[in-house]
Amino acid sequence: MNAEIKQQILKYKIVSIVRGIPKDSLIPVMDALCRGGIRCVEITLNTPGALQMIQQAKEAYGSRMLVGAGTVMDKPSAVNAVFAGADFILSPVLDLEVIEVCHSYSRVAVPGIMTPTEAQTAWKAGADIIKLFPAASLGTDYVRNLLGPMSELDIMAVGGISADNLTAFLENGVCCFGIGGELVNKKLAAAHDFEAITHRARTFVELVQQ
């Protein structure tokens, strides 16, 4: 199962990070993302009611949309996310127990790293995709230099990704992205500006398709 999920993430290339929006905005936001071509959504666990939102999203979308859990910091949180229905697990940090949980339940593990040592540790532990965080702060040269000796890594760039820098990250070897406030944010959700979310989604989808 996790191989199929990984291939879908690498195919669609964009994971929309949903953080801090109210529960009653979740489905309209996901509808807006779906209309714009997004097929992978991450609901962060520091969002109030996150586990219920993951369950709600999977019930509403089934196999039409991958739903992951983000900001997963430890083993108990990972287990709870899996039982809520998360297809993949992302973290801003490297926690080997979280990777073990993903293996146990055939979920895709996307741990966060910043250094080459962390990247190697995560990869050797069986991480499916390596989340480079904070990507924009590190820059595209960092990605190219990291992949020089470690070309086997599948890198997801997260943190500060925008329409202005996405193409440069792709050109330097990134295979997918986690995109937060540039795609979905609390202000747009509160204003019920779902057309704006759809427009932003289309913009990012067109960029990765090019």
Side-chain angles (χ1 to χ4, degrees):
M1 178 180 169
N2 63 332
E4 296 173 6
I5 295 169
K6 177 180 176 178
Q7 287 308 309
Q8 288 186 65
I9 294 172
L10 297 183
K11 174 184 176 181
Y12 292 113
K13 298 187 182 300
I14 297 174
V15 175
S16 175
I17 301 170
V18 175
R19 184 191 308 275
I21 69 168
K23 200 183 303 185
D24 59 2
S25 294
L26 176 64
I27 298 304
V29 164
M30 291 189 64
D31 288 342
L33 290 168
C34 195
R35 287 194 299 271
I38 299 296
R39 296 295 178 267
C40 306
V41 171
E42 164 198 341
I43 299 170
T44 66
L45 291 194
N46 59 349
T47 297
L51 294 174
Q52 292 82 3
M53 291 169 76
I54 291 169
Q55 186 174 4
Q56 181 185 7
K58 284 308 295 181
E59 289 173 353
Y61 273 89
S63 60
R64 293 182 296 143
M65 197 93 119
L66 291 179
V67 179
T71 318
V72 179
M73 305 297 288
D74 52 36
K75 181 178 180 178
S77 298
V79 171
N80 289 337
V82 167
F83 280 95
D87 296 306
F88 54 97
I89 305 290
L90 295 98
S91 178
V93 298
L94 173 58
D95 187 304
L96 298 183
E97 288 187 330
V98 171
I99 297 176
E100 290 174 7
V101 169
C102 292
H103 288 171
S104 298
Y105 294 99
S106 298
R107 298 302 194 272
V108 165
V110 190
I113 66 96
M114 190 173 76
T115 68
T117 299
E118 289 176 335
Q120 183 189 42
T121 301
W123 199 250
K124 288 175 68 175
D128 297 286
I129 299 170
I130 300 296
K131 171 180 169 177
L132 183 66
F133 177 80
S137 298
L138 295 167
T140 55
D141 287 346
Y142 188 90
V143 175
R144 186 179 68 253
N145 291 331
L146 182 63
L147 287 172
M150 305 175 77
S151 58
E152 71 278 6
L153 300 181
D154 291 319
I155 294 180
M156 174 188 288
V158 183
I161 301 301
S162 68
D164 295 326
N165 62 21
L166 182 145
T167 300
F169 275 100
L170 273 177
E171 291 171 347
N172 282 278
V174 165
C175 64
C176 54
F177 300 89
I179 303 175
E182 291 288 320
L183 188 47
V184 175
N185 57 55
K186 289 185 280 188
K187 184 177 179 181
L188 289 175
H192 292 182
D193 194 353
F194 304 118
E195 278 303 313
I197 294 172
T198 296
H199 175 74
R200 292 180 180 204
R202 287 189 182 126
T203 298
F204 280 111
V205 168
E206 288 170 4
L207 284 171
V208 296
Q209 288 176 343
Q210 291 172 6

